[in-house]
Amino acid sequence: MIRACIFDLDGVIVDTARYHFLAWSRLAGELGIPFTERDNERLKGVSRMRSLEILLSLGKNKTYSDSEIEALAARKNEWFVEYIDRMDRSEIFPGVEKLIADLKHRGILVGLASSSKNAPQVIQSLGIADEFDVVVDGGMVKHAKPDPEIFLLAASLLKISSHDCVVFEDAAAGIDAAIAAGMKSVGIGSSELLGHANIVVSRTGDFDPEELKKL
Ligand code: BG6
Ligand code: MG
């Protein structure tokens, strides 16, 4: 029986996945690295440093020192933070707040598990920080998705067995992490990319909580 729903943030609650993409594209442009939306799928859900590693690998020839890599990650993050500083509640995806309210009404716990170290600031800007029974962000774990650590930590803080949790994710790496944690999953986006999830819906707000009974 599902007793907790654990939400990813970027691309599930709000379109910050777009802002990550814009900031990474800008960095790739400055470095002369070709970078498409398709390439960006591989950066979704993983940590900032792993994302940068993947992006730099697309450039093939050039190598970077550790301090250059740190500086590049910091630069991307400055651009990303400029976007999120301007965000407000109107950017929450349609139907998300209603879905969270409906889940709570059914007595289901609601958690947030995001690889982003900016997650606490994002949910604060959106005014939804108090909606979650637990919040786990990228700064609280050692291993980012597809490792299950972040979801296992969320479940343990909620005091719910991982088998009774369902994860909402827009990233293939996030669905991999949910499966590795022994949890059910709902993919948000295309079934071509997220076909390994139990259920796939185009938008988070399209999910019908009645479906939880089938999981
Ligand atoms: C994930 C995003 O939620 O957080 C990734 O899907 C991002 O694209 C990662 O790289 C890390 O985010 P941040 O804010 O810590 O750089
Ligand atoms: Mg995401």
Side-chain angles (χ1 to χ4, degrees):
M1 198 183 112
I2 297 300
R3 299 177 60 211
C5 288
I6 303 175
F7 289 83
D8 172 49
L9 175 66
D10 299 319
V12 170
I13 303 271
V14 65
D15 203 6
T16 32
R18 183 89 208 139
Y19 297 149
H20 279 295
F21 173 64
L22 291 174
W24 285 126
S25 295
R26 184 168 168 188
L27 188 71
E30 286 196 356
L31 298 173
I33 295 174
F35 183 66
T36 64
E37 293 222 29
R38 185 92 200 169
D39 296 325
N40 186 59
E41 285 302 321
R42 294 174 58 205
L43 275 58
K44 284 187 182 172
V46 304
S47 69
R48 189 182 309 166
M49 294 316 274
R50 177 67 192 133
S51 296
L52 179 57
E53 211 176 280
I54 295 169
L55 186 143
L56 294 178
S57 75
L58 299 168
K60 295 194 173 78
N61 303 325
K62 198 167 171 347
T63 55
Y64 298 85
S65 69
D66 287 352
S67 62
E68 283 172 323
I69 287 176
E70 288 292 337
L72 292 174
R75 198 140 98 235
K76 180 266 172 179
N77 193 53
E78 274 171 29
W79 294 326
F80 179 72
V81 168
E82 279 175 24
Y83 288 121
I84 62 174
D85 275 349
R86 285 184 238 129
M87 259 177 7
D88 63 34
R89 207 164 190 134
S90 68
E91 291 192 47
I92 298 173
F93 283 135
V96 167
E97 287 177 280
K98 184 173 171 290
L99 173 60
I100 291 176
D102 190 334
L103 294 171
K104 287 182 167 182
H105 189 67
R106 290 164 189 257
I108 291 170
L109 294 176
V110 176
L112 186 88
S114 167
S115 300
S116 173
K117 293 181 176 168
N118 291 297
Q121 191 192 324
V122 171
I123 56 174
Q124 202 64 48
S125 306
L126 297 175
I128 53 167
D130 295 337
E131 299 298 324
F132 300 98
D133 296 297
V134 70
V135 173
V136 184
D137 67 67
M140 295 165 70
V141 290
K142 230 169 149 180
H143 308 289
K145 302 166 191 174
D147 190 283
E149 183 183 356
I150 196 159
F151 293 135
L152 293 173
L153 178 58
S156 100
L157 292 170
L158 288 169
K159 300 190 173 57
I160 301 282
S161 153
S162 52
H163 299 287
D164 298 334
C165 296
V166 59
V167 161
F168 289 72
E169 259 293 347
D170 68 319
I175 302 293
D176 293 338
I179 292 170
M183 298 179 180
K184 302 288 191 300
S185 57
V186 176
I188 310 297
S190 83
S191 19
E192 189 207 332
L193 297 165
L194 307 170
H196 50 324
N198 295 93
I199 299 175
V200 179
V201 289
S202 305
R203 302 177 321 157
T204 313
D206 293 342
F207 181 75
D208 176 1
E210 283 296 308
E211 295 284 315
L212 293 175
K213 293 176 185 157
K214 299 184 197 156
L215 290 173

